[in-house]
Amino acid sequence: MLIETCILVGLLVAVAVYLILQPGFVRILFGFVLLSNAINLLVLLASGEPRGRKVPIVGDAVGGLPPVDPLPQALVLTAIVIGFGVIAYLVVLLYRTFLDQGTADAEELFADAPGREPAAPKAPTQEAGR
Amino acid sequence: MNNLAVMPVIVPALAGVVGLFWWRCGTARRVAFALVGLAQLVLALVLVDSARTHGPAVLGVGGWAAPYGIAIIVDRLSAIMLTLGAITALASMLYGFAQQPVRFEHPLRLPLVQFLVAGISLSFATADLFNLFVAFEVMLIASYALLTLEADDRDVKHALPYLTVNLVGGALFLGAAGLAYGLFGTLNFAGIAARAVEMSGDPRVMAWAVLLLTVFAIKAGVFPLYYWLPNAYPILPAPVAALYSGMLTKVGVYVLLRACGTLLPHDLTGLHAALAWLAGLTMILGVLGAVSRNFIRGILSFHILSQIGFMVLAIGFFTEYAVAAAVFYIVHHIIVKSSLFMAGGVVGVLNRSDDLDRSANLWRTMPVVGLLFLLPALSLAGLPPLSGFWGKYMIVVEGVRQGQWVLVVLSLVASVLTLFSMLKIWNTSFWAEDPSVPVRRDDGRWRGMAAVTGGMVVLSLAIGLGAAPFMDLAFETAREVLDQEGYVRLVLGAAGEAVAAP
């Protein structure tokens, strides 16, 4: 069980890294979704081999088996919630960028003078006058 | 007394929630938020005093003792960082009030700043690796929201690289936390430290340490993981940029220091050397980036990186003297960097732009503003007797002592280039006279903004001219940070007592 999960984590991370290295931000988004799933599985691995162990619920006696370590499951639960929120935010930000710029491709987005004064014409008056 | 340790997290979190419901912007709301900021500052100062006189405050959250529950520990380093966070947050809010008339205020900005402060404070106070991950995410989510909240359509794309890099960093951190639980069977800092020392020499510890330090290096903006920062910060409104530049990367430096001093075994010399060399590269590449930029916020954003290099270099040298230098440097840098961003904002209001091509005449018409820029700028470059000098001096002395000549030369070159790029701003925005560039003295906002900036500059002057007490505190802090056994005894020992008590 552990070895299979390890291989799965490795596979997911490989695909995620490939996607994150692509120029399109939509692919980066999918890469991140895969990466967070891979990492969640990795954290789950820390509870050890689940076979021969019972679910960690107090008072649930299944033939006197020892319970699995519940802590990594609690960690993963927290991480899933956080990851979900961040992905939702990233989707909305991508959508806004796409509406404004008509593209979500990094090379096209940052084609104009890379790294030069992003906000130079914006005087603080506009900032205050919004 | 120990319950006080968690208050720097609870106060801003509650204030943020209340702020979400108190939607109507007005003077009363501003006063309330300023009072919350002041309360945080007082709280943090009380914690510094208590950490100095009674030792670190240890709190097992919910009454669960240290190896099982989440521990909150405020020792000297945490308390100092909490104080700096409170100062920067308060100054940033006041500066924002001066810069923006209340009718233009975005109702989400102040609550988001409070959530950001809550995340920052939790990162400083927590003594549990997974809790640190949660604190990072709280801080980062608030920072994403603030970054895009008031950015205009043209700029918002610069949030994407910031987001992507930090998301990957967050995922790696989660992986590091999971691996720590698998390796050491605990997430508590003290527990990990105790087990890691026992397992010293195990290659898995080394691999895990590299993963952890990579994550923290992304947060701190160490070469080659820094490019998310210098393009993202300039899209922020000036008051928020002052807070970000002061605090966010310094959270990364703090956790690097915490990880090297408290979590990891002290004999990973290869790792420390790698950290020092990466810091040297960060220093020099950051300042070269700054020289290449042509608007004040862009120059200052790159300087953050260069300065991060100095702090990480001190951590990489890893002696008590060097760590004391790092602590002093952090204290100096947070104040000076924030005040420089604030001074840049004042230039932006007076000249209607902080682009160096469209900014001039300020020294002749506004010598006060000139001083507000010049003093922190020279301090950043490290001229004596300003606050930047002492930290740099100690780092260079430690470098010479260890015979790291290349790194010493790199740091000196970086200092000279810092001075050069600061003079570039000085020569155009302040010194040059260009009749076509208007100076809008009639815009009354600059007075309030300059007053807040002045407060920060006075603070930085005080740190520089009265360096001795700060230096004592820095040395005490360095001793405490490097005393790994004492930390373990404090946390796990205190836990033993808590278990024994009914």
Side-chain angles (χ1 to χ4, degrees):
Chain A
M1 208 43 188
L2 290 185
I3 294 295
E4 289 90 325
T5 319
C6 284
I7 294 172
L8 182 60
V9 169
L11 204 66
L12 282 174
V13 169
V15 177
V17 167
Y18 176 77
L19 282 173
I20 287 174
L21 292 178
Q22 299 289 309
F25 274 106
V26 180
R27 293 193 181 196
I28 293 178
L29 167 70
F30 285 120
F32 177 69
V33 173
L34 284 182
L35 183 67
S36 57
N37 280 322
I39 300 286
N40 286 345
L41 279 174
L42 179 71
V43 175
L44 211 52
L45 268 178
S47 40
E49 176 65 50
R51 261 178 297 195
R53 288 170 179 268
K54 74 178 183 74
V55 287
I57 299 173
V58 178
D60 176 37
V62 186
L65 291 174
V68 292
D69 190 342
L71 190 77
Q73 306 183 15
L75 302 187
V76 166
L77 205 58
T78 316
I80 289 173
V81 174
I82 292 175
F84 175 74
V86 174
I87 288 171
Y89 177 82
L90 186 57
V91 169
V92 174
L93 182 65
L94 266 180
Y95 184 60
R96 181 176 164 191
T97 315
F98 187 75
L99 284 188
D100 292 342
Q101 315 269 337
T103 176
D105 189 276
E107 281 171 11
E108 291 173 33
L109 273 180
F110 298 100
D112 54 327
R116 225 189 101 76
E117 40 181 327
K122 188 180 74 175
T125 33
Q126 287 161 307
E127 215 169 85
R130 184 169 299 129
Chain B
M1 192 64 205
N2 280 354
N3 277 334
L4 213 59
V6 78
M7 292 313 277
V9 184
I10 290 179
V11 170
L14 274 182
V17 173
V18 171
L20 286 181
F21 288 101
W22 188 356
W23 194 253
R24 259 184 72 84
C25 297
T27 313
R29 189 174 186 258
R30 287 187 160 185
V31 171
F33 271 104
L35 286 178
V36 169
L38 197 62
Q40 284 161 23
L41 180 57
V42 172
L43 201 60
L45 287 173
V46 169
L47 282 169
V48 172
D49 182 56
S50 119
R52 286 191 89 168
T53 48
H54 307 293
V58 183
L59 173 70
V61 175
W64 291 90
Y68 307 110
I70 293 167
I72 300 281
I73 299 177
V74 178
D75 58 4
R76 287 186 182 84
L77 181 61
S78 303
I80 291 172
M81 298 303 291
L82 286 171
T83 311
L84 291 167
I87 291 174
T88 328
L90 181 62
S92 143
M93 279 196 288
L94 294 177
Y95 184 84
F97 298 162
Q99 193 214 15
Q100 219 173 19
V102 79
R103 62 182 184 283
F104 297 131
E105 185 171 292
H106 196 297
L108 270 175
R109 191 203 271 184
L110 288 173
L112 280 174
V113 167
Q114 291 300 323
F115 286 131
L116 186 73
V117 172
I120 294 174
S121 302
L122 186 58
S123 325
F124 293 150
T126 188
D128 180 281
L129 200 59
F130 191 77
N131 203 232
L132 183 62
F133 165 73
V134 174
F136 268 26
E137 292 298 322
V138 170
M139 177 178 88
L140 284 176
I141 290 171
S143 82
Y144 304 149
L146 269 174
L147 189 67
T148 47
L149 185 69
E150 291 167 271
D152 63 24
D153 296 345
R154 226 171 60 89
D155 291 341
V156 82
K157 64 184 179 190
H158 288 287
L160 284 171
Y162 176 87
L163 212 68
T164 312
V165 174
N166 278 303
L167 287 179
V168 173
L172 290 180
F173 191 9
L174 179 60
L179 290 177
Y181 190 69
L183 264 179
F184 308 114
T186 176
L187 288 166
N188 186 272
F189 283 179
I192 292 177
R195 290 281 295 133
V197 172
E198 285 168 27
M199 292 167 69
S200 185
D202 189 328
R204 288 178 301 173
V205 175
M206 186 65 179
W208 175 73
V210 170
L211 180 61
L212 196 69
L213 291 188
T214 309
V215 172
F216 295 162
I218 292 178
K219 278 278 15 105
V222 175
F223 174 84
L225 306 164
Y226 65 69
Y227 216 75
W228 54 274
L229 189 149
N231 291 327
Y233 280 21
I235 73 174
L236 287 161
V240 187
L243 177 60
Y244 273 48
S245 65
M247 290 318 292
L248 283 198
T249 45
K250 257 55 71 185
V251 176
V253 176
Y254 162 82
V255 284
L256 270 178
L257 183 53
R258 187 58 93 192
C260 288
T262 305
L263 266 180
L264 301 172
H266 285 186
D267 55 1
L268 301 173
T269 40
L271 212 56
H272 297 147
L275 214 52
W277 279 97
L278 288 176
L281 287 172
T282 315
M283 236 156 33
I284 205 80
L285 291 171
V287 83
L288 285 177
V291 171
S292 78
R293 286 296 191 266
N294 205 30
F295 63 113
I296 294 180
R297 279 169 297 170
I299 296 175
L300 293 179
S301 298
F302 262 108
H303 272 302
I304 299 175
L305 300 171
S306 166
Q307 304 290 310
I308 291 289
F310 279 95
M311 294 171 228
V312 177
L313 180 63
I315 297 174
F317 285 156
F318 207 66
T319 58
E320 191 182 305
Y321 189 79
V323 170
V327 172
F328 187 85
Y329 208 101
I330 291 174
V331 174
H332 138 76
H333 172 82
I334 289 177
I335 304 291
V336 161
K337 197 80 229 181
S338 297
S339 53
L340 274 175
F341 263 89
M342 289 176 179
V346 177
V347 173
V349 163
L350 286 171
N351 278 156
R352 289 292 184 256
S353 166
D354 70 348
D355 192 313
L356 292 186
D357 296 333
R358 270 171 283 173
S359 157
N361 296 339
L362 286 173
W363 178 249
R364 187 169 51 84
T365 47
M366 303 249 146
V368 182
V369 178
L371 274 183
L372 290 184
F373 175 79
L374 191 64
L375 287 172
L378 293 180
S379 176
L380 193 74
L383 260 68
L386 298 166
S387 55
F389 169 72
W390 305 109
K392 271 185 187 166
Y393 171 75
M394 287 170 74
I395 292 169
V396 168
V397 165
E398 185 61 34
V400 170
R401 217 180 272 170
Q402 298 195 2
Q404 301 278 11
W405 293 104
V406 182
L407 288 171
V408 168
V409 170
L410 275 181
S411 70
L412 293 177
V413 171
S415 299
V416 172
L417 286 175
T418 305
L419 187 61
F420 168 71
S421 60
M422 285 298 147
L423 286 181
K424 191 166 100 176
I425 299 179
W426 173 257
N427 281 341
T428 50
S429 289
F430 293 92
W431 202 250
E433 300 197 357
D434 181 353
S436 68
V437 175
V439 176
R440 303 288 298 268
R441 294 191 64 155
D442 51 316
D443 192 336
R445 288 183 291 158
W446 74 270
R447 283 195 190 84
M449 293 162 76
V452 180
T453 318
M456 294 293 266
V457 172
V458 167
L459 200 54
S460 112
L461 279 180
I463 295 172
L465 298 178
F470 292 98
M471 209 57 98
D472 290 343
L473 184 58
F475 273 102
E476 280 173 30
T477 309
R479 263 193 296 282
E480 195 176 61
V481 169
L482 294 178
D483 181 13
Q484 212 171 14
E485 278 171 30
Y487 190 85
V488 172
R489 216 176 320 113
L490 172 83
V491 179
L492 298 180
E497 283 165 32
V499 170

Coordinates of all heavy atoms in Angstrom, one line a residue, chain B residues 414-468:
Chain B
A414 N 28.0 45.3 -2.7 CA 26.5 45.5 -2.7 C 26.2 46.8 -2.0 O 25.3 47.5 -2.4 CB 25.9 44.3 -2.0
S415 N 27.0 47.1 -0.9 CA 26.7 48.3 -0.2 C 26.9 49.6 -1.0 O 26.2 50.5 -1.0 CB 27.6 48.4 1.1 OG 27.3 47.4 1.9
V416 N 28.1 49.5 -1.7 CA 28.4 50.7 -2.6 C 27.3 50.9 -3.7 O 26.9 52.0 -3.9 CB 29.8 50.5 -3.2 CG1 30.0 51.6 -4.2 CG2 30.8 50.5 -2.2
L417 N 26.9 49.7 -4.3 CA 25.9 49.8 -5.3 C 24.5 50.3 -4.7 O 23.8 51.0 -5.4 CB 25.7 48.5 -6.0 CG 26.8 48.1 -6.9 CD1 26.6 46.7 -7.5 CD2 26.9 49.1 -8.1
T418 N 24.3 49.9 -3.4 CA 23.1 50.4 -2.8 C 23.1 51.9 -2.7 O 22.2 52.6 -3.0 CB 23.0 49.8 -1.3 OG1 23.0 48.4 -1.4 CG2 21.7 50.3 -0.7
L419 N 24.3 52.4 -2.3 CA 24.4 53.9 -2.2 C 24.2 54.5 -3.5 O 23.6 55.5 -3.7 CB 25.8 54.2 -1.6 CG 26.1 55.6 -1.3 CD1 25.1 56.1 -0.2 CD2 27.5 55.8 -0.8
F420 N 24.8 53.8 -4.6 CA 24.7 54.4 -5.9 C 23.2 54.5 -6.3 O 22.8 55.6 -6.8 CB 25.5 53.5 -6.9 CG 25.2 53.8 -8.3 CD1 25.6 55.0 -8.9 CD2 24.4 52.9 -9.1 CE1 25.4 55.2 -10.2 CE2 24.1 53.2 -10.4 CZ 24.6 54.4 -11.0
S421 N 22.4 53.4 -6.1 CA 21.1 53.5 -6.6 C 20.2 54.5 -5.7 O 19.3 55.1 -6.2 CB 20.4 52.1 -6.6 OG 20.4 51.6 -5.4
M422 N 20.6 54.6 -4.5 CA 19.9 55.6 -3.7 C 20.2 57.0 -4.2 O 19.4 57.9 -4.2 CB 20.3 55.5 -2.2 CG 19.7 54.3 -1.5 SD 17.9 54.4 -1.5 CE 17.5 52.7 -1.6
L423 N 21.5 57.2 -4.5 CA 21.9 58.5 -5.0 C 21.2 58.8 -6.4 O 20.9 60.0 -6.7 CB 23.4 58.6 -5.2 CG 24.1 58.8 -3.9 CD1 25.6 58.9 -4.1 CD2 23.6 60.0 -3.1
K424 N 20.9 57.7 -7.1 CA 20.2 57.9 -8.4 C 18.8 58.5 -8.1 O 18.4 59.5 -8.8 CB 20.0 56.6 -9.1 CG 19.6 56.6 -10.5 CD 19.8 55.3 -11.2 CE 18.5 54.5 -11.2 NZ 18.6 53.3 -12.0
I425 N 18.1 58.0 -7.1 CA 16.8 58.6 -6.8 C 17.0 60.0 -6.3 O 16.3 61.0 -6.7 CB 16.2 57.8 -5.6 CG1 15.9 56.4 -6.1 CG2 14.9 58.4 -5.2 CD1 15.3 55.5 -5.1
W426 N 18.1 60.2 -5.4 CA 18.3 61.5 -4.8 C 18.6 62.6 -5.9 O 18.0 63.7 -5.9 CB 19.5 61.4 -3.8 CG 19.9 62.7 -3.3 CD1 21.0 63.4 -3.6 CD2 19.2 63.5 -2.3 NE1 21.1 64.6 -3.0 CE2 20.0 64.7 -2.1 CE3 18.0 63.3 -1.6 CZ2 19.6 65.7 -1.2 CZ3 17.7 64.3 -0.7 CH2 18.4 65.5 -0.5
N427 N 19.5 62.2 -6.8 CA 19.9 63.1 -7.9 C 18.7 63.6 -8.8 O 18.7 64.7 -9.2 CB 21.0 62.5 -8.7 CG 22.3 62.6 -8.0 OD1 22.5 63.4 -7.1 ND2 23.2 61.8 -8.5
T428 N 17.8 62.7 -9.1 CA 16.7 63.1 -10.0 C 15.6 63.6 -9.2 O 15.2 64.8 -9.4 CB 16.3 61.9 -10.8 OG1 16.0 60.8 -10.0 CG2 17.3 61.5 -11.8
S429 N 15.0 62.9 -8.3 CA 13.8 63.3 -7.7 C 14.0 64.6 -6.8 O 13.1 65.5 -6.8 CB 13.2 62.2 -6.8 OG 12.7 61.2 -7.6
F430 N 15.1 64.6 -6.1 CA 15.3 65.7 -5.1 C 16.2 66.8 -5.6 O 15.9 68.0 -5.5 CB 15.8 65.1 -3.8 CG 14.8 64.2 -3.2 CD1 14.8 62.8 -3.4 CD2 13.9 64.7 -2.3 CE1 13.9 62.0 -2.8 CE2 12.9 63.9 -1.8 CZ 13.0 62.5 -2.0
W431 N 17.4 66.4 -6.2 CA 18.4 67.4 -6.4 C 18.1 68.1 -7.8 O 18.3 69.3 -7.8 CB 19.7 66.7 -6.5 CG 20.9 67.5 -6.3 CD1 21.8 67.9 -7.2 CD2 21.3 68.2 -5.0 NE1 22.8 68.7 -6.6 CE2 22.5 68.9 -5.3 CE3 20.7 68.2 -3.8 CZ2 23.1 69.6 -4.3 CZ3 21.4 68.9 -2.8 CH2 22.5 69.6 -3.1
A432 N 17.7 67.4 -8.8 CA 17.6 68.0 -10.1 C 16.5 69.0 -10.1 O 15.5 68.9 -9.4 CB 17.3 66.9 -11.1
E433 N 16.7 70.0 -11.0 CA 15.7 71.1 -11.1 C 15.2 71.1 -12.5 O 15.9 71.2 -13.5 CB 16.3 72.5 -10.7 CG 16.8 72.5 -9.3 CD 17.0 73.8 -8.8 OE1 16.8 74.8 -9.5 OE2 17.3 74.0 -7.6
D434 N 13.9 70.9 -12.6 CA 13.3 70.8 -14.0 C 12.0 71.5 -13.9 O 11.0 71.1 -13.3 CB 13.0 69.3 -14.2 CG 12.4 69.1 -15.6 OD1 12.1 70.1 -16.3 OD2 12.3 67.9 -16.0
P435 N 11.9 72.7 -14.6 CA 10.8 73.6 -14.4 C 9.5 72.9 -15.0 O 8.4 73.4 -14.6 CB 11.1 74.8 -15.3 CG 12.4 74.5 -16.0 CD 13.0 73.3 -15.3
S436 N 9.6 71.9 -15.8 CA 8.4 71.3 -16.4 C 7.7 70.4 -15.4 O 6.6 69.9 -15.7 CB 8.8 70.6 -17.7 OG 9.5 69.5 -17.4
V437 N 8.4 70.0 -14.3 CA 7.8 69.1 -13.4 C 7.2 69.8 -12.3 O 7.9 70.6 -11.6 CB 8.9 68.1 -12.8 CG1 8.3 67.2 -11.8 CG2 9.5 67.3 -13.9
P438 N 5.9 69.7 -12.1 CA 5.2 70.5 -11.0 C 5.5 69.8 -9.6 O 5.6 68.6 -9.5 CB 3.8 70.4 -11.4 CG 3.7 69.0 -12.1 CD 5.0 68.8 -12.8
V439 N 5.5 70.7 -8.6 CA 5.5 70.2 -7.2 C 4.2 70.6 -6.6 O 4.0 71.8 -6.4 CB 6.7 70.7 -6.4 CG1 6.6 70.2 -5.0 CG2 8.0 70.2 -7.1
R440 N 3.4 69.6 -6.3 CA 2.0 70.0 -5.9 C 2.0 70.2 -4.4 O 1.5 69.3 -3.6 CB 1.1 68.9 -6.3 CG 1.1 68.6 -7.8 CD 0.4 69.7 -8.6 NE -1.0 69.8 -8.2 CZ -2.0 69.2 -8.8 NH1 -1.7 68.4 -9.9 NH2 -3.2 69.4 -8.4
R441 N 2.5 71.3 -3.9 CA 2.4 71.6 -2.5 C 1.0 71.8 -2.0 O 0.7 71.7 -0.8 CB 3.2 72.9 -2.2 CG 4.7 72.7 -2.5 CD 5.4 73.9 -1.9 NE 5.3 73.9 -0.4 CZ 6.2 74.5 0.3 NH1 7.2 75.1 -0.2 NH2 6.1 74.5 1.6
D442 N 0.1 72.2 -3.0 CA -1.3 72.5 -2.6 C -2.0 71.2 -2.1 O -3.0 71.3 -1.4 CB -2.0 73.1 -3.7 CG -1.8 72.3 -5.0 OD1 -0.7 71.9 -5.3 OD2 -2.8 72.1 -5.7
D443 N -1.5 70.1 -2.5 CA -2.1 68.8 -2.1 C -1.7 68.5 -0.6 O -0.6 68.1 -0.3 CB -1.6 67.7 -3.0 CG -2.4 66.4 -2.8 OD1 -3.0 66.3 -1.7 OD2 -2.5 65.6 -3.7
G444 N -2.7 68.8 0.3 CA -2.4 68.8 1.7 C -2.1 67.4 2.2 O -1.6 67.3 3.4
R445 N -2.3 66.4 1.4 CA -2.1 65.0 1.9 C -0.6 64.8 2.4 O -0.4 64.0 3.3 CB -2.4 64.0 0.9 CG -3.9 63.9 0.6 CD -4.2 62.8 -0.4 NE -3.7 63.2 -1.7 CZ -3.5 62.3 -2.7 NH1 -3.6 61.0 -2.4 NH2 -3.1 62.7 -3.8
W446 N 0.3 65.4 1.7 CA 1.7 65.1 2.0 C 2.1 65.4 3.5 O 3.0 64.7 4.0 CB 2.6 65.9 1.1 CG 2.8 67.4 1.4 CD1 2.0 68.4 0.9 CD2 3.7 68.0 2.2 NE1 2.4 69.5 1.4 CE2 3.5 69.3 2.2 CE3 4.8 67.5 3.0 CZ2 4.2 70.2 3.0 CZ3 5.6 68.4 3.7 CH2 5.3 69.7 3.7
R447 N 1.4 66.3 4.1 CA 1.8 66.6 5.5 C 1.6 65.4 6.4 O 2.5 65.0 7.1 CB 0.9 67.8 6.0 CG 1.4 69.1 5.5 CD 0.9 70.3 6.2 NE 1.2 71.5 5.5 CZ 0.4 72.0 4.5 NH1 -0.7 71.3 4.2 NH2 0.8 73.1 3.8
G448 N 0.4 64.8 6.4 CA 0.1 63.7 7.2 C 1.1 62.5 6.9 O 1.6 61.9 7.7
M449 N 1.3 62.3 5.5 CA 2.1 61.2 5.1 C 3.5 61.4 5.6 O 4.2 60.5 6.1 CB 2.1 61.1 3.6 CG 0.7 60.7 3.1 SD 0.6 61.0 1.3 CE 1.5 59.7 0.6
A450 N 4.0 62.7 5.4 CA 5.4 63.0 5.9 C 5.5 62.8 7.4 O 6.6 62.4 7.9 CB 5.8 64.4 5.4
A451 N 4.4 63.1 8.1 CA 4.5 63.0 9.6 C 4.7 61.6 10.0 O 5.6 61.3 10.8 CB 3.2 63.6 10.2
V452 N 3.9 60.7 9.4 CA 4.1 59.2 9.7 C 5.5 58.8 9.3 O 6.2 58.1 10.1 CB 3.0 58.4 9.0 CG1 3.2 56.9 9.4 CG2 1.6 58.9 9.4
T453 N 5.9 59.2 8.1 CA 7.3 58.8 7.7 C 8.3 59.3 8.6 O 9.3 58.6 9.0 CB 7.6 59.4 6.3 OG1 6.4 59.2 5.5 CG2 8.7 58.7 5.6
G454 N 8.1 60.5 9.1 CA 9.0 61.1 10.1 C 9.1 60.3 11.3 O 10.2 60.1 11.9
G455 N 8.0 59.8 11.8 CA 8.0 59.0 13.0 C 8.9 57.8 12.8 O 9.7 57.5 13.7
M456 N 8.7 57.1 11.6 CA 9.6 55.9 11.4 C 11.0 56.3 11.3 O 11.9 55.6 11.7 CB 9.1 55.3 10.1 CG 7.7 54.7 10.1 SD 7.6 53.3 11.2 CE 7.9 51.9 10.1
V457 N 11.3 57.5 10.6 CA 12.7 57.9 10.5 C 13.3 58.2 11.8 O 14.5 57.8 12.1 CB 12.8 59.1 9.6 CG1 14.2 59.7 9.6 CG2 12.4 58.8 8.2
V458 N 12.6 58.8 12.7 CA 13.1 59.1 14.1 C 13.4 57.8 14.8 O 14.4 57.6 15.5 CB 12.1 59.9 14.9 CG1 12.4 60.0 16.3 CG2 12.0 61.3 14.3
L459 N 12.5 56.8 14.6 CA 12.7 55.5 15.2 C 14.0 54.9 14.7 O 14.8 54.4 15.5 CB 11.5 54.6 14.9 CG 11.3 53.4 15.8 CD1 11.2 53.8 17.2 CD2 10.0 52.7 15.3
S460 N 14.2 55.0 13.4 CA 15.4 54.4 12.8 C 16.7 55.1 13.3 O 17.7 54.5 13.6 CB 15.3 54.3 11.3 OG 16.2 55.2 10.7
L461 N 16.6 56.5 13.5 CA 17.7 57.3 14.0 C 18.0 56.8 15.4 O 19.2 56.7 15.8 CB 17.4 58.7 14.0 CG 17.5 59.5 12.7 CD1 17.1 60.9 12.9 CD2 18.9 59.4 12.2
A462 N 16.9 56.6 16.2 CA 17.1 56.2 17.6 C 17.8 54.8 17.6 O 18.7 54.6 18.5 CB 15.7 56.1 18.3
I463 N 17.5 53.9 16.7 CA 18.1 52.6 16.7 C 19.6 52.8 16.4 O 20.5 52.1 16.9 CB 17.5 51.7 15.7 CG1 16.0 51.4 16.1 CG2 18.2 50.4 15.5 CD1 15.2 50.6 15.1
G464 N 19.9 53.7 15.4 CA 21.3 53.9 15.0 C 22.1 54.6 16.1 O 23.2 54.2 16.4
L465 N 21.6 55.7 16.6 CA 22.4 56.5 17.6 C 22.4 55.9 18.9 O 23.4 56.0 19.7 CB 21.8 57.9 17.6 CG 21.8 58.7 16.3 CD1 21.2 60.0 16.4 CD2 23.3 58.8 15.7
G466 N 21.3 55.2 19.3 CA 21.3 54.6 20.7 C 21.4 53.1 20.5 O 20.6 52.3 21.0
A467 N 22.4 52.6 19.8 CA 22.4 51.2 19.4 C 22.7 50.3 20.5 O 22.3 49.1 20.5 CB 23.5 51.0 18.3
A468 N 23.3 50.8 21.6 CA 23.8 49.8 22.6 C 22.7 49.0 23.2 O 22.8 47.8 23.3 CB 24.5 50.6 23.7

